DNA sequence: ATTTATGCAAATCATTTGCACATAG
DNA sequence: CTATGTGCAAATGATTTGCATAAAT
C-alpha cells in the first residue's frame, strides 16, 4: 500500500507494478503537473524528498526524525497565524508552514525494544 | 557581507576570499561540526540549500518565495505549541518548525516596478 | 499534421564519503 | 608517532532537462 505522503520514488515504484516501462521523469513531470493544477498537494519537506498528498485543505504535518515519514497532524490549521506576525521588515506574509518533529509510534517501539536489549 | 542565513556555498565563497585553497567538503564538514556542537544553528529549508545561523534561540523564519532568502520572524516562539497537539497516533512530538512564506521587501519592490512597466 | 506525452540519458544541485596526504599534539 | 583535519575527486540522492520518438487529437 502506498504511504499517505509518498515521495516521487514511492509513486514510481508503485506505478512500475502496472507499467514496468515507465520512467522516473514521467512520474516527476506528472506529479508536478497535478500539483500545479491543484489536484494534488505538494509537501516540501526539509531534509528529504518531496511528498505529495491527496488532502488539499491546509493542515500541519508530523515528521518522524527517525524514519522521515510524514503524518497529518490532528490540530486545527490557524489561518490567522501570519496576522499575529504582521509585516516585518517589509515582508508580506502570505502563508505559513508548520512541521512538528518527533518520533512516530513505530520508531518509539523500536527505540523501546533497543533499550530493553541493552 | 555574508547574509544572516548563509548557505554552505555562500560560506564557501566568503572563506575563499581569505583561503582560496579551501575545499567545499571542509566547509560542509565544519558547518556540520559546529552545528552539532551547538555553536551554530542549522536551518533546514524545504526546497533549497541548508542554512546556518549564529542565533541559537528557537525562533521562526520568513522565507521569500521569490528569491528564497531567509529572515528571522519577529514573533515570540511558542514553546508550548506541541502541547496543543499532544500525542497523535502514538507520535511523540518533541519540537516544531514554523516557516512563514511570502515576499520580501526587495521582491515586493521588484514586483511593483514590473507592474508599473506593463 | 500538429500537438502533447513519454523514455532515456545526461545534466544539475546539494551534500557526503573514501582515501591519501598534511598538520598538530 | 598517533590523532585529527583537509583537499580532491568520486559517489549519492533528488530532481530537471534536451531530445528524439510515440501517442493522441
Amino acid at each position: 500500500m502506498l504511504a499517505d505522503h509518498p515521495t516521487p520514488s514511492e509513486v514510481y515504484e508503485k506505478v512500475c507494478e502496472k507499467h514496468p516501462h515507465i520512467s522516473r521523469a514521467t512520474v516527476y513531470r506528472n506529479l508536478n503537473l497535478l500539483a500545479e493544477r491543484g489536484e494534488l498537494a505538494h509537501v516540501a519537506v526539509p531534509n528529504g524528498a518531496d511528498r505529495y498528498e491527496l488532502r488539499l485543505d491546509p493542515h500541519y504535518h508530523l515528521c518522524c526524525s527517525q524514519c522521515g515519514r510524514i503524518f497529518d497532524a490532528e490540530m486545527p490549521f490557524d489561518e490567522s497565524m501570519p496576522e499575529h506576525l504582521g509585516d516585518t521588515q517589509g515582508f508580506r506574509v502570505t502563508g505559513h508552514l508548520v512541521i512538528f518533529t518527533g518520533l512516530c509510534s513505530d520508531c518509539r517501539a523500536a527505540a523501546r525494544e533497543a533499550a530493553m536489549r541493552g
Side-chain angles (χ1 to χ4, degrees), chain A:
Chain A
M1 179 53 86
L2 210 47
D4 15 50
H5 296 82
T7 63
S9 278
E10 286 167 347
V11 174
Y12 170 72
E13 303 291 349
K14 189 70 185 175
V15 175
C16 270
E17 291 173 15
K18 296 270 178 182
H19 308 271
H21 45 76
I22 206 160
S23 141
R24 273 195 151 73
T26 301
V27 172
Y28 276 101
R29 275 187 290 236
N30 287 328
L31 287 174
N32 281 338
L33 207 60
L34 290 167
E36 270 166 37
R37 286 189 193 150
E39 294 173 44
L40 280 182
H42 173 225
V43 186
V45 191
N47 294 324
D50 284 7
R51 308 268 173 170
Y52 291 86
E53 65 179 337
L54 290 165
R55 187 171 162 187
L56 297 174
D57 64 307
H59 58 279
Y60 302 136
H61 288 107
L62 309 174
C63 177
C64 178
S65 46
Q66 191 70 47
C67 66
R69 273 186 299 170
I70 302 286
F71 307 86
D72 289 340
E74 283 159 19
M75 186 186 181
F77 185 82
D78 181 4
E79 291 283 2
S80 69
M81 194 171 181
E83 288 164 23
H84 305 161
L85 176 63
D87 288 9
T88 343
Q89 303 129 268
F91 198 102
R92 169 69 41 83
V93 178
T94 57
H96 71 288
L97 160 74
V98 177
I99 300 176
F100 294 95
T101 53
L103 281 187
C104 73
S105 58
D106 288 358
C107 289
R108 283 174 68 192
R112 250 179 271 124
E113 251 207 58
M116 294 277 189
R117 268 192 255 94

